[in-house]
Amino acid sequence: YIVMATLSTLIGSLFIFSSSTFAKPISVRETLFGRSWREDHNIEVGATTLDVAFTDNTYTSYTISVNGNKWLNSGMTGFRNNGDWASLKLNKTETTTGQDSFGSYSDMAILWDDTKNAGYQFGTIVRQYPSDPDLVVFIQLYPQGAMKSSTGSADKVISSFPSFKLDNSNLGYNQWGGSMAGDVEFVGKLDGKTKPEGGLSNGAGPFCIFDAEMANAIVLSPLTDHFGASDYVDNDEMQWGILGNVTTVNPGYAISFILSAPRNGGGLNAAMRAWGDRQLSYYGKRRGNAHDRDYTLNYLGYSTDNGAYYYYETEPGKNYQQTMIDVKAYHDKVGLPTKWVLLDSWWYFKGDNDGVKNWTAMPSIFPGGMQAVYEGTKWKIQAHNRYYSLDNVYANNIPKQNETGMFPFTWGVKSALPTTEEFWDYLFGINMDWGLIVYEQDWESTSADDVPMLTNTTNFGRTWLTQMGRSAEKYDLSIQYCMDFTRHLMTSVELPAVTQARSSGDYHPGNDQWQIGVTAIFTSAIDIAPSKDSYWSQPDPQSGHYSAGTKEPYNRLQSLVESLSNGPLTFADRIGYSDVDLIMRCCSTSGLVLRPDTSATMIDSYFKYRAGFGNSSEMSSGEIW
């Protein structure tokens, strides 16, 4: 409503600034609040101040400053329309005021005409808050929408505002990307020699910029429509806008990006926490929600995920139902107070391209159904799921299906996704009688790469995730994301049901996927518990179906990281091979996990060193959390 009110005023109001008004750079903060804004709004000495200053009254270029020091020079401002980038001509500018989730604000709004396509316009707004000089919001407006906007690649963008040049060697950056909650980091100097990434798999996440001393840091990211937003590195500039495959933008559409800094200065960790607080507060998601609602974050669990002993493997001559009941009996015998179990992808029916056909236990796996496992162990269950096959039993509109279900789906070459919340209500509703407590949505990146509707519309990615999240909340379920791009995880700030995310690759005895100190900065900033997967608790080989000599030599390290991560704590041993003393150092006799108030994270000096500002003895090897 606030954005539309601004849009209406922008189109209909008189032109506020004349061509002769300014002879020097135009400070947005001073324009909106006056030169004595600090005194007028009781801003304390030392408060971090962010500002945008337009170079002149053409409004075609601008700078972004931190505490009066110029940090960033703008790149291109624009949008695609009718198959090409629009040619923009300034129409008018104005100031407006209003209220949003952050409080009272003032806008400097600029309306541009598309001279190639009569009747089309593009709006760019810089929003600032009188009481929060450490916060700026950038907004793109589409008064008449856009047509034929796609670049042909989801790794580009169809709009750009804000943007900035990679031309400041006095600044460093860290960007979270990849498909495990930002587990791929891009770090370096902001000088264009080492470049950040963007696009479908690496765009839309938080981008932190810091000075050489780590005295000040800022974070830029999408604020709204996280899934449909993106960033793109074009030569030596970084552009923030809408995913490059989007073909049509509806009239009145708006998308926002946030620039945030910690109130009283600080490095990367402080900046990320302040940014995360703002993302959460904007959507009303309370910090602490994850651990308050998610049972599996509070009690000891057992895992059958990839790397676990019983991953696609049972005890000799037994099915999975008997094996899980035997595992439970062993835990009881040795005094392990396990309260829940993660059942990975081996238990349900699969169809075309190995997608899920029917999210129901196969009789060969659990002859008595999921209820028999729940009754036999009394364990609550985290249940894995993946993308849906093209021949799934739920869809009613996919061509050449052998079975017709009740719900509309959208699909790509090898996978499909539901398009209504009614599907999720049905799926969760019929599966609430066997201890389901966490729904794990895995393979999210696979769907993003395959299902066109996720990348050629501005809204379906968000719609898919919010439908899932709202339904889970109705049934008091929590959700874990896995193989998720940063755009998936960013959308979780709207969804109380999403409480955790896998934060590194799959565990295998002896590998180094325990290194989650960087990823945990991102996840914990937005109140998502980082899951490092499981571990084998003994250093001795557990043999069996694993190759001879397979063992976990760093079992104590693995256990410690799980505890300090503030995420789910599970172990994954074969029957008879658990180090009970080690496991019990992490929980009470009731199974209650002993955990810190927040996740352990990599210290700022690491990023300073990686960006080239540290000396040779500072964080050159190892990890300090």
Side-chain angles (χ1 to χ4, degrees):
Y1 173 78
I2 296 297
V3 170
M4 291 306 296
T6 298
L7 173 61
S8 175
T9 307
L10 176 60
I11 295 172
S13 294
L14 60 89
F15 181 30
I16 301 297
F17 303 114
S18 69
S19 60
S20 60
T21 303
F22 297 101
K24 63 178 183 178
I26 304 166
S27 162
V28 174
R29 178 155 284 273
E30 289 187 2
T31 299
L32 296 175
F33 307 122
R35 292 187 177 181
S36 60
W37 60 266
R38 188 179 294 273
E39 295 79 12
D40 293 345
H41 298 284
N42 298 313
I43 304 301
E44 71 274 17
V45 175
T48 302
T49 301
L50 307 178
D51 198 11
V52 178
F54 289 95
T55 306
D56 54 38
N57 60 1
T58 65
Y59 300 96
T60 55
S61 63
Y62 53 90
T63 61
I64 296 174
S65 64
V66 179
N67 296 329
N69 300 309
K70 184 179 74 174
W71 274 32
L72 303 172
N73 294 304
S74 67
M76 181 187 73
T77 296
F79 79 114
R80 287 181 61 85
N81 193 20
N82 200 18
D84 198 2
W85 285 95
S87 178
L88 298 183
K89 179 182 178 181
L90 179 64
N91 180 305
K92 63 178 71 174
T93 67
E94 67 164 2
T95 61
T96 59
T97 60
Q99 185 104 7
D100 65 12
S101 296
F102 293 141
S104 298
Y105 66 77
S106 292
D107 286 346
M108 177 180 280
I110 305 166
L111 183 67
W112 307 89
D113 292 331
D114 177 1
T115 61
K116 292 181 182 178
N117 298 281
Y120 282 89
Q121 296 172 312
F122 185 56
T124 54
I125 293 177
V126 179
R127 176 169 294 177
Q128 296 203 16
Y129 300 78
S131 299
D132 294 299
D134 47 345
L135 171 64
V136 177
V137 173
F138 298 87
I139 304 172
Q140 302 176 16
L141 297 174
Y142 284 79
Q144 298 81 24
M147 58 179 175
K148 299 178 183 177
S149 53
S150 174
T151 66
S153 171
D155 289 329
K156 297 182 178 181
V157 290
I158 64 165
S159 58
S160 177
F161 183 75
S163 63
F164 55 84
K165 301 287 188 181
L166 305 174
D167 62 359
N168 194 336
S169 61
N170 296 315
L171 299 175
Y173 70 87
N174 191 80
Q175 178 186 28
W176 286 260
S179 61
M180 283 289 190
D183 67 324
V184 177
E185 60 174 308
F186 303 93
V187 59
K189 287 185 179 178
L190 202 72
D191 58 4
K193 294 179 181 178
T194 60
K195 293 185 179 181
E197 293 287 335
L200 181 62
S201 61
N202 297 309
F207 189 85
C208 184
I209 304 172
F210 48 87
D211 61 21
E213 295 77 28
M214 273 289 179
N216 291 285
I218 59 178
V219 180
L220 178 62
S221 82
L223 177 63
T224 63
D225 285 345
H226 299 95
F227 200 101
S230 201
D231 59 77
Y232 172 58
V233 178
D234 184 14
N235 294 319
D236 289 325
E237 72 176 57
M238 193 168 192
Q239 302 166 353
W240 294 78
I242 299 171
L243 269 169
N245 256 359
V246 171
T247 56
T248 302
V249 181
N250 291 331
Y253 178 78
I255 189 169
S256 302
F257 299 84
I258 182 174
L259 181 66
S260 170
R263 182 74 173 201
N264 297 302
L268 180 143
N269 274 275
M272 286 293 290
R273 180 53 66 105
W275 164 84
D277 285 341
R278 284 181 163 136
Q279 291 278 351
L280 295 170
S281 68
Y282 190 81
Y283 291 98
K285 187 175 181 180
R286 182 179 53 82
R287 183 171 294 284
N289 163 80
H291 287 83
D292 287 348
R293 71 170 289 125
D294 191 337
Y295 183 89
T296 68
L297 298 179
N298 292 284
Y299 290 94
L300 181 66
Y302 181 77
S303 176
T304 64
D305 194 6
N306 191 7
Y309 186 83
Y310 295 114
Y311 175 69
Y312 282 89
E313 186 72 18
T314 63
E315 285 289 279
K318 296 185 177 182
N319 58 40
Y320 255 115
Q321 180 175 317
Q322 296 165 324
T323 298
M324 290 297 100
I325 292 173
D326 287 350
V327 171
K328 163 65 173 174
Y330 167 65
H331 291 183
D332 288 346
K333 177 181 178 181
V334 297
L336 287 169
T338 311
K339 298 298 183 182
W340 60 277
V341 61
L342 189 168
L343 303 181
D344 204 71
S345 59
W346 39 262
W347 61 273
Y348 49 77
F349 291 93
K350 299 179 184 67
D352 290 345
N353 299 301
D354 216 25
V356 59
K357 182 180 179 70
N358 187 347
W359 203 59
T360 302
M362 292 183 286
S364 60
I365 300 294
F366 295 141
M370 298 291 268
Q371 295 87 347
V373 180
Y374 179 53
E375 291 299 324
T377 63
K378 303 302 181 185
W379 285 343
K380 296 184 183 296
I381 294 174
Q382 173 177 326
H384 177 282
N385 202 0
R386 59 175 63 191
Y387 54 88
Y388 289 88
S389 67
L390 298 182
D391 61 342
N392 73 77
V393 301
Y394 306 106
N396 63 9
N397 61 334
I398 300 178
K400 301 180 181 179
Q401 282 181 287
N402 294 323
E403 300 181 62
T404 301
M406 300 183 293
F407 304 100
F409 272 58
T410 184
W411 62 93
V413 174
K414 66 177 183 180
S415 62
L417 295 174
T419 60
T420 66
E421 193 167 325
E422 286 74 20
F423 166 79
W424 295 105
D425 291 343
Y426 171 79
L427 186 74
F428 293 147
I430 64 172
N431 286 292
M432 294 307 297
D433 59 350
W434 42 264
L436 179 63
I437 193 71
V438 173
Y439 173 79
E440 179 185 348
Q441 184 59 66
D442 199 355
W443 295 83
E444 289 184 313
S445 58
T446 298
S447 296
D449 286 327
D450 182 60
V451 178
M453 201 168 166
L454 287 172
T455 58
N456 65 19
T457 67
T458 58
N459 65 322
F460 179 65
R462 175 179 176 272
T463 297
W464 166 52
L465 294 175
T466 54
Q467 288 173 350
M468 182 198 309
R470 285 195 301 260
S471 183
E473 194 167 9
K474 294 175 192 175
Y475 288 95
D476 199 25
L477 296 173
S478 296
I479 295 175
Q480 182 193 88
Y481 286 169
C482 188
M483 289 179 64
D484 51 314
F485 293 148
T486 54
R487 64 187 65 253
H488 295 90
L489 195 57
M490 292 284 288
T491 306
S492 75
V493 297
E494 299 187 54
L495 305 170
V498 183
T499 56
Q500 54 178 287
R502 279 286 306 280
S503 53
S504 60
D506 287 343
Y507 171 75
H508 184 82
N511 71 4
D512 60 1
Q513 56 81 245
W514 59 269
Q515 297 174 335
I516 63 171
V518 176
T519 311
I521 297 174
F522 173 30
T523 56
S524 62
I526 54 175
D527 197 48
I528 293 294
S531 170
K532 81 141 223 86
D533 210 4
S534 199
Y535 77 109
W536 288 9
S537 68
Q538 273 199 12
D540 301 323
Q542 300 194 17
S543 60
H545 65 100
Y546 279 85
S547 59
T550 300
K551 61 182 180 179
E552 177 50 73
Y554 308 112
N555 58 323
R556 292 185 300 168
L557 172 64
Q558 296 280 355
S559 178
L560 177 64
V561 168
E562 280 207 344
S563 292
L564 296 181
S565 74
N566 212 18
L569 200 157
T570 65
F571 59 105
D573 302 310
R574 182 182 185 181
I575 292 172
Y577 284 81
S578 292
D579 186 332
V580 177
D581 178 66
L582 177 63
I583 295 169
M584 291 305 297
R585 295 186 186 198
C586 305
C587 70
S588 69
T589 55
S590 67
L592 184 67
V593 171
L594 307 177
R595 59 179 180 82
D597 290 333
T598 190
S599 302
T601 61
M602 188 74 80
I603 63 173
D604 287 351
S605 292
Y606 167 83
F607 302 97
K608 182 179 174 182
Y609 176 82
R610 288 288 309 277
F613 297 126
N615 59 52
S616 59
S617 63
E618 186 178 21
M619 290 298 295
S620 58
S621 64
E623 302 208 0
I624 303 177
W625 296 5

